[in-house]
Amino acid sequence: MKIRFANENDKAGIYKTMGYCFNTPYNSIKNNIENGSFAKNEKFVVAVDDNNDIKSLFAIIDYNTYFEGKIAKMAGIAGVSSLPENRGEGNIEDLFKFALKYINDNDFIFSALGPFAFQYYRKFGYEWCYTWQLVSIPIEDLKNFKSAFTYEHIYEDKFAIFNSFRNEIIKNINGAIIRDKELLNDKWQQYVNSTSHVYVAKNENNEIVSAMVYHQENREIKVSEMYFKDEISRQYLLAFLYRHRSNTDSVELILANDDEIRNILPSPRIKYWNWPNKMGRVVNVKKALELLRIEDEFNGSFTIKIEDKHALWNNKIFKITCLNNKLVVEEVEEKADFDISIQRITQLIYGHIDAKEAIKLNLIKVNNENKTNLLKKVFVKRTTMLWQEF
């Protein structure tokens, strides 16, 4: 078996293998790959036999994301496929080892995927670190919110303005995808095909303060995207949705996991649930740690030992100190204060869990109790978002 990047001669094998695994017609797979929004930034890796027949494959998708207010490269993994006669041979693990080296060598710091089974991808260092909440609110619960100064229906010619506002809001949300030209075009077509509407709310200075994307299904409005500067500007959107009460019974919102909308509603007893969504992986622990913003500066240092079976450049002991609200990370040969797996350090860096939770749940090994307060200052809860793309 050989692991390599796909070439032109592999296309038919890719379409056939993915078509089988995703129960999708050959021509549909072909069209999605060749004409989709990822066509220019999608790279397939394949496991082939001596005859160059494909045994297993997946695609690496090149994204830019926001992380701690900065732009970072994130490799999406998609289309993981093996024909049944080739399963159980370890091909996918070999593909991940090959891909992770390429990803790290090309300055990607993070990777993410949509799992069919969480336990399967944990084997390769991925872990649950993205959650969203779905709330369904009776339309009458929105009647007392204040309207904006003006509202504007956004069409394609002003879509860039909407996207610029979106970027302003999401830049401090870890994992939020930055839409390039292809993604923007693809997203607009999705809106058109689903008869979605894009609206913005403006203040008295004609400045956009909130925005949303929604469509109507039967007697429910489904809001797939909502961005706002503060709680007042979010309520402008809720007031706008209430204007649809003549033909709407309820409004469904997809929101970040830490959103507290239920606290402003007449009753918190609404349809509400959290959904474990994408899995993430830190590809380069040192670089990811150096991106973290530390709100509560500290003196002193601590050491962590990372276990990573598939990205050996992470399999080290790192000494961590704080300087000007940033972390200074050094490779050292010292006794580790904490032993942490790549899955757990991924959750901690993203902020899906904090150090206090990790210690309480015995998810990390504590070798030095005196250093736990420093660990808690670094690894705190942070807002993550990755539900709208790939």
Side-chain angles (χ1 to χ4, degrees):
M1 183 185 67
K2 181 180 180 181
I3 308 295
R4 58 170 172 79
F5 287 110
N7 57 45
E8 287 292 315
N9 296 327
D10 296 317
K11 285 186 175 181
I14 290 172
Y15 306 151
K16 179 185 74 173
T17 304
M18 290 185 65
Y20 180 91
C21 292
F22 292 95
N23 195 30
T24 303
Y26 179 98
N27 286 335
S28 294
I29 290 288
K30 178 181 178 181
N31 181 66
N32 289 340
I33 292 175
E34 294 184 356
N35 301 312
S37 57
F38 306 126
K40 292 183 179 179
N41 59 352
E42 187 172 52
K43 200 174 186 73
F44 279 90
V45 290
V46 295
V48 298
D49 61 19
D50 292 340
N51 295 318
N52 272 325
D53 291 329
I54 292 176
K55 299 166 72 67
S56 303
L57 64 95
F58 60 69
I60 303 169
I61 304 174
D62 187 340
Y63 284 106
N64 282 325
T65 70
Y66 287 113
F67 188 84
E68 300 291 273
K70 295 183 174 64
I71 297 175
K73 292 183 70 175
M74 197 269 299
I77 302 297
V80 179
S81 305
S82 291
L83 293 173
E85 61 267 30
N86 299 320
R87 294 174 186 172
E89 299 176 353
N91 299 334
I92 298 298
E93 181 171 15
D94 290 338
L95 284 171
F96 268 108
K97 289 179 179 178
F98 178 91
L100 285 168
K101 183 180 185 307
Y102 165 81
I103 290 168
N104 184 61
D105 289 347
N106 286 273
D107 297 322
F108 291 85
I109 300 178
F110 305 99
S111 180
L113 53 82
F116 74 90
F118 282 79
Q119 59 270 32
Y120 181 79
Y121 289 104
R122 284 194 179 108
K123 297 184 295 184
F124 313 124
Y126 290 79
E127 188 49 83
W128 170 34
C129 56
Y130 299 102
T131 302
W132 48 262
Q133 58 174 301
L134 186 77
V135 300
S136 183
I137 306 170
I139 192 71
E140 288 302 316
D141 284 6
L142 306 182
K143 66 181 177 181
N144 292 323
F145 294 121
K146 182 180 178 181
S147 292
F149 191 78
T150 58
Y151 297 99
E152 182 177 352
H153 197 172
I154 298 297
Y155 295 96
E156 187 172 11
D157 61 330
K158 292 188 177 180
F159 191 45
I161 296 174
F162 165 82
N163 191 62
S164 177
F165 177 77
R166 173 187 182 270
N167 287 344
E168 179 185 347
I169 300 301
I170 68 171
K171 65 184 179 183
N172 291 314
I173 303 178
N174 289 345
I177 297 295
I178 301 171
R179 295 170 178 168
D180 60 18
K181 183 178 180 181
E182 285 75 23
L183 273 176
L184 276 178
N185 292 337
D186 184 64
K187 185 57 64 175
W188 182 258
Q189 289 307 312
Q190 289 181 34
Y191 296 157
V192 171
N193 293 338
S194 63
T195 62
S196 291
H197 303 284
V198 181
Y199 265 90
V200 298
K202 295 183 175 182
N203 62 16
E204 61 274 15
N205 298 319
N206 203 38
E207 299 168 332
I208 298 174
V209 293
S210 53
M212 66 178 168
V213 181
Y214 68 91
H215 67 279
Q216 184 99 20
E217 286 188 17
N218 300 318
R219 292 188 61 84
E220 182 169 59
I221 289 178
K222 295 182 179 290
V223 181
S224 57
E225 300 178 45
M226 181 175 278
Y227 310 105
F228 46 93
K229 286 189 172 183
D230 52 33
E231 187 53 46
I232 297 299
S233 58
R234 189 250 288 276
Q235 292 180 25
Y236 292 159
L237 299 178
L238 299 179
F240 181 81
L241 291 170
Y242 181 65
R243 298 183 181 189
H244 298 75
R245 61 191 179 277
S246 62
N247 64 343
T248 301
D249 297 325
S250 60
V251 173
E252 182 183 88
L253 306 175
I254 296 176
L255 301 170
N257 187 45
D258 60 354
D259 192 285
E260 298 180 345
I261 192 171
R262 288 190 297 162
N263 288 315
I264 66 169
L265 298 175
S267 172
R269 289 182 174 175
I270 59 175
K271 178 183 174 183
Y272 158 84
W273 58 290
N274 288 60
W275 182 248
N277 194 30
K278 300 285 194 292
M279 298 180 81
R281 190 196 206 284
V282 172
V283 176
N284 191 298
V285 170
K286 184 177 185 295
K287 290 180 180 179
L289 287 170
E290 290 171 340
L291 288 178
L292 287 179
R293 293 182 293 197
I294 307 303
E295 299 298 331
D296 188 5
E297 286 201 64
F298 60 87
N299 295 318
S301 62
F302 62 92
T303 54
I304 59 173
K305 181 180 180 181
I306 304 300
E307 180 186 14
D308 190 340
K309 297 178 180 178
H310 296 89
L312 299 183
W313 51 90
N314 293 326
N315 222 34
K316 297 175 181 177
I317 297 174
F318 298 99
K319 181 179 180 180
I320 297 172
T321 55
C322 182
L323 179 65
N324 298 326
N325 298 102
K326 297 291 182 183
L327 296 182
V328 178
V329 184
E330 306 169 86
E331 296 177 18
V332 296
E333 294 184 5
E334 300 177 10
K335 184 178 179 180
D337 297 316
F338 306 95
D339 291 358
I340 309 178
S341 69
I342 186 60
Q343 293 89 345
R344 212 57 59 205
I345 197 67
T346 290
Q347 287 185 312
L348 289 168
I349 288 174
Y350 269 103
H352 180 73
I353 63 173
D354 59 28
K356 183 178 179 180
E357 288 175 302
I359 293 170
K360 178 182 178 181
L361 296 172
N362 198 31
L363 297 176
I364 63 177
K365 183 181 178 184
V366 179
N367 302 318
N368 187 346
E369 293 281 354
N370 295 327
K371 298 288 187 175
T372 56
N373 284 335
L374 297 184
L375 194 77
K376 292 174 183 177
K377 288 179 181 291
V378 171
F379 299 118
V380 299
K381 283 290 184 70
R382 305 171 194 268
T383 302
T384 64
M385 183 177 81
L386 184 64
W387 62 74
Q388 293 161 2
E389 264 83 41
F390 110 105

